[in-house]
Amino acid sequence: MSFPWARQYEPKNGLTKFLDEKLPLPRLVYGAIGAGYPVPRNLSYMWNFGVLAGFCLVLQIVTGVVLAMHYAPNALVAFGTTEHIMRDVNWGWMMRYAHANGASFFFIVVYLHIFRGFFYSSYKAPREMIWLLGVVIFLLMMATAFMGYVLPWGQMSFWGAKVITGLFGAIPIVGEPIQVWLLGGFAPDNAALNRFFSLHFLLPFVIAGVVILHIWALHIPGSSNPTGVEIKTEADTVPFHPYYTAKDGFGLGIFLLLFCTMVFFLPNYLGHPDNYIEANPLSTPAHIVPEWYFWPFYAILRAFTVDFFFVPAKLMGVLAMFAAILVWFFLPWLDKSPVRSGHYRPLFRKFFWFGLIPTMAVLFYCGGAPAEEPFVMLSQLATAYYFLHFLVILPLVSSIEKPEPLPYSITEAVLGSDKKAVLGENTTPAV
Amino acid sequence: MADTTGTATPETLAVHGEDGVRRRDFINIAAVSFAGVGAVAVVLPLVSQMAPSADVLAESSTEIDVGSIEAGQAIKAVFRKQPLFVRRLTPAEISQADKVDASSLRDPQTLAERTKEGHLDMLVTMGVCTHLGCVPLGAAEGENRGEFGGYFCPCHGSHYDTAARIRKGPAPTNLVVPDYEFTSDTVIRVG
Ligand code: HEM
Ligand code: FES
């Protein structure tokens, strides 16, 4: 692991010497996020979002544990205890608004983190495992957020749970029994609410575990960087502390500024008014929409309106929605270009900015819109392009594209020249 | 272990056995299999605890007095915590349902197949859209009944006709007719 020039931890006083012998935790921290971890000197702000995602996870766990002290997962009182948190519990409103908006900010940060990965092909060798674990984290996050949204037991909670578990009903033969089994009843009720609470409490800790694996896997090759050229010498790196602790700290400040603006001035902007009405199994709200971070996938789900040979439309939608995320697992092998960074890939770059990004924007918009024309047709076109992009365009582009010349090293990219390169030590630009 | 005599002592048997099976391998396989069966056995209760519990299942039959429903009216009842639509059809609605050729429908069924003998005007269905489970409109007075005069699901636009059969929109099947029977002329027991 790591580079030969990485600084070694040296315990200075009696206490740290004692600890280093018995339980070398300070050594671990020093090597993982301290001065003992050499990082490319040219990381941009796009590399801030991993640390920010970690911060969000801690934020959700802290506020979540506090909320759980006042909340009761019983269908008779759940809605009431949520209002009790808002009105009676000291600072309860702040904890709840921070948790609800924290989930949204968590997704904003992780989406940026993922799209950083798309643009800089961070998923390519030797970082495949980091990427695969990342997709697992994302799936776990979606499950956690979905179950958390059910807990306040408002109208959107209830109908969201009903519609999403209804997706399983689309599976032939076993679908309905699975749905009943998941809910512990024939419709969402106390049994479902209780198990969702239990799992919503558990899953963030599972995520924390996978994040540890994610970072472990990251520390084997180390971070990539905006050029995509791998580290060659010590000159290409700076120690994580103080350089990136400072940069990440600055990013965290900006993040908190935006976050606090939402929590204190627009706390319900991202929510639905319908969720302030208690769940009513006999009346459906006029317009059921999931939380904004599910919109692109919800649009894909609803894009299938006609049967596809012998596969019913409803099942097609469900399969496509899951496939839209599962396809990410195959990215390291679909994109075969040896060049990582989009900055040196003229064709890839065009498809990224004018293909993938607008497609995601359209899917995002359509997922939140009512299921009417023109939104249905738009989501159909966007869904088609989405899969085309990953399954056809990426492999094709990587085989026909002529990449632009890469800098010899990170140092050359930053300083304009690299002494080692001038000396002609190794002039073939390694990727 | 020197085995100079050529006859197997108990110790050499224990290690090599006559047929090459070592006693330790046997114990190993037996122990792991036993633990494996045990592990599978605890999965069963872990999975099955998620299924509906006895009290949820106990609510699974409901009696409803349908005598007071006038022709053209419907009521919303609750069956297994889900809405249940009970509707008395008018003669016009019955003939409208019988006019269509059932075999041309997405989920081919006639009105007679969806009601009980002698009670062609009593349409009992779940109030759960077969698409993704919203409650369709049309049971209460003044609600949108859709293009076919039955029920209309606003979630993704499914239209059901006067026999609650799917006619237009994404829902794959007709509104479900639960198991029920007439316990008297005016009372049904559902479930
Ligand atoms: C709880 C959520 C997550 C946390 C806490 C987390 C944390 C981190 C951290 C701290 C880094 C290093 C800093 C950086 O490069 O930004 C990182 C890198 C990375 N993450 Fe995540 N991550 C999360 C989710 C994801 C997801 C959902 C994906 C992709 C689907 C992903 C893919 C990656 C990749 C590919 C890298 C290596 C990037 C590079 O070095 O170029 N992560 N992650
Ligand atoms: S749930 Fe009724 S149309 Fe989708």
Side-chain angles (χ1 to χ4, degrees):
Chain A
M1 165 174 151
S2 202
F3 301 95
W5 58 85
R7 284 186 218 163
Q8 290 304 312
Y9 175 70
E10 277 160 33
K12 298 220 166 56
N13 55 38
L15 178 66
T16 47
K17 280 196 183 104
F18 174 83
L19 265 181
D20 198 44
E21 263 173 40
K22 315 295 171 195
L23 182 72
L25 206 57
R27 180 177 290 276
L28 183 79
V29 172
Y30 185 90
I33 50 169
Y37 178 43
V39 188
R41 63 193 287 174
N42 62 337
L43 295 189
S44 69
Y45 279 108
M46 285 315 290
W47 268 256
N48 273 44
F49 296 102
V51 165
L52 285 180
F55 175 82
C56 287
L57 184 61
V58 173
L59 176 82
Q60 290 307 91
I61 289 179
V62 171
T63 52
V65 167
V66 168
L67 290 174
M69 294 178 186
H70 305 279
Y71 167 84
N74 183 299
L76 294 175
V77 297
F79 184 80
T81 56
T82 314
E83 287 309 301
H84 155 77
I85 291 171
M86 296 297 286
R87 295 164 195 217
D88 305 336
V89 175
N90 297 336
W91 298 97
W93 59 272
M94 190 176 96
M95 293 302 159
R96 173 150 186 256
Y97 280 152
H99 195 73
N101 286 284
S104 279
F105 274 72
F106 199 169
F107 275 96
I108 295 175
V109 162
V110 165
Y111 276 128
L112 288 167
H113 193 60
I114 294 173
F115 275 78
R116 184 278 312 265
F118 284 155
F119 185 78
Y120 293 102
S121 326
S122 302
Y123 44 78
K124 276 182 197 160
R127 296 184 183 78
E128 304 95 319
M129 187 52 79
I130 311 171
W131 176 258
L132 299 182
L133 290 167
V135 182
V136 170
I137 293 171
F138 184 64
L139 290 170
L140 287 169
M141 273 179 70
M142 293 181 88
T144 309
F146 161 67
M147 287 190 278
Y149 194 58
V150 175
L151 302 183
W153 210 239
Q155 273 287 67
M156 279 296 174
S157 304
F158 180 91
W159 289 98
K162 180 133 190 187
V163 167
I164 299 297
T165 54
L167 296 179
F168 290 90
I171 305 167
I173 307 166
V174 291
E176 264 193 49
I178 289 183
Q179 185 186 348
V180 171
W181 176 75
L182 284 174
L183 290 174
F186 303 97
D189 200 4
N190 215 25
L193 182 59
N194 269 291
R195 67 190 54 178
F196 282 11
F197 177 61
S198 167
L199 292 174
H200 182 72
F201 206 127
L202 169 72
L203 283 187
F205 297 93
V206 176
I207 294 177
V210 185
V211 168
I212 289 173
L213 299 183
H214 185 72
I215 293 171
W216 186 6
L218 171 73
H219 280 66
I220 295 170
S223 284
S224 182
N225 66 85
T227 68
V229 176
E230 290 290 331
I231 291 168
K232 291 201 170 67
T233 60
E234 185 171 2
D236 293 340
T237 65
V238 289
F240 188 85
H241 179 74
Y243 291 93
Y244 288 108
T245 41
K247 190 162 182 157
D248 283 329
F250 180 72
L252 182 63
I254 303 280
F255 170 90
L256 285 174
L257 216 60
L258 297 173
F259 179 65
C260 290
T261 306
M262 288 302 284
V263 169
F264 294 110
F265 298 100
L266 297 161
N268 288 306
Y269 179 75
L270 296 167
H272 302 289
D274 271 314
N275 225 24
Y276 283 100
I277 303 170
E278 189 165 4
N280 177 357
L282 297 187
S283 138
T284 313
H287 182 40
I288 300 182
V289 273
E291 291 286 84
W292 69 265
Y293 35 79
F294 293 134
W295 285 354
F297 304 102
Y298 197 54
I300 293 178
L301 169 78
R302 295 190 303 181
F304 292 83
T305 49
V306 288
D307 297 358
F308 193 75
F309 297 108
F310 50 87
V311 190
K314 184 170 147 184
L315 180 60
M316 275 307 291
V318 175
L319 293 178
M321 184 181 70
F322 285 112
I325 297 172
L326 297 185
V327 69
W328 295 356
F329 277 119
F330 299 95
L331 261 184
W333 299 279
L334 287 170
D335 179 0
K336 293 191 216 58
S337 169
V339 178
R340 291 195 189 88
S341 170
H343 290 310
Y344 302 96
R345 302 186 57 191
L347 200 54
F348 167 87
R349 196 160 62 218
K350 286 200 186 71
F351 279 107
F352 180 85
W353 289 115
F354 302 110
L356 186 63
I357 297 290
T359 301
M360 286 308 284
V362 168
L363 285 176
F364 176 76
Y365 188 83
C366 291
E372 296 161 1
E373 293 303 348
F375 306 119
V376 176
M377 217 246 301
L378 278 174
S379 0
Q380 286 167 341
L381 290 174
T383 302
Y385 182 85
Y386 180 92
F387 285 104
L388 208 66
H389 182 90
F390 288 112
L391 297 174
V392 179
I393 294 175
L394 269 189
L396 222 63
V397 163
S398 52
S399 66
I400 59 173
E401 174 182 62
K402 191 175 176 302
E404 287 157 7
L406 289 168
Y408 163 72
S409 67
I410 294 173
T411 304
E412 188 192 285
V414 175
L415 300 179
S417 76
D418 184 336
K419 270 184 257 127
K420 292 245 169 54
V422 176
L423 291 174
E425 197 173 288
N426 176 4
T427 36
T428 40
V431 192
Chain B
M1 203 169 295
D3 188 11
T4 45
T5 58
T7 49
T9 63
E11 287 96 325
T12 55
L13 254 185
V15 176
H16 301 293
E18 293 273 70
D19 47 1
V21 178
R22 295 198 321 164
R23 189 180 136 114
R24 246 183 221 181
D25 287 341
F26 174 78
I27 292 174
N28 196 341
I29 292 168
V32 170
S33 319
F34 192 75
V37 171
V40 171
V42 288
V43 167
L44 187 72
L46 279 177
V47 168
S48 145
Q49 56 81 22
M50 297 257 294
S53 56
D55 60 324
V56 170
L57 290 174
E59 288 167 353
S60 58
S61 87
T62 309
E63 293 217 338
I64 301 163
D65 183 355
V66 298
S68 56
I69 308 172
E70 304 276 340
Q73 264 192 345
I75 59 164
K76 268 191 206 180
V78 179
F79 168 57
R80 292 181 174 173
K81 303 250 165 151
Q82 301 189 85
L84 180 81
F85 292 165
V86 185
R87 180 162 172 174
R88 192 182 292 280
L89 302 175
T90 62
E93 287 172 333
I94 295 177
S95 65
Q96 200 184 331
D98 284 338
K99 248 194 345 244
V100 275
D101 173 16
S103 62
S104 69
L105 299 179
R106 185 177 301 172
D107 183 6
Q109 262 187 328
T110 62
L111 179 60
E113 285 166 343
R114 293 173 58 73
T115 49
K116 296 285 174 211
E117 226 182 308
H119 296 278
L120 197 62
D121 60 341
M122 216 56 253
L123 181 66
V124 182
T125 61
M126 300 304 301
V128 180
C129 180
T130 57
H131 181 225
L132 292 176
C134 292
V135 180
L137 301 173
E141 208 77 46
E143 282 180 354
N144 184 353
R145 294 187 163 189
E147 287 174 27
F148 298 86
Y151 298 106
F152 170 67
C153 181
C155 288
H156 316 95
S158 287
H159 299 256
Y160 297 89
D161 68 10
T162 52
R165 294 174 297 196
I166 180 66
R167 298 294 290 275
K168 186 179 168 192
T173 59
N174 302 335
L175 287 189
V176 171
V177 177
D179 283 334
Y180 71 96
E181 57 187 8
F182 280 87
T183 51
S184 78
D185 254 3
T186 58
V187 176
I188 59 171
R189 193 177 61 226
V190 191

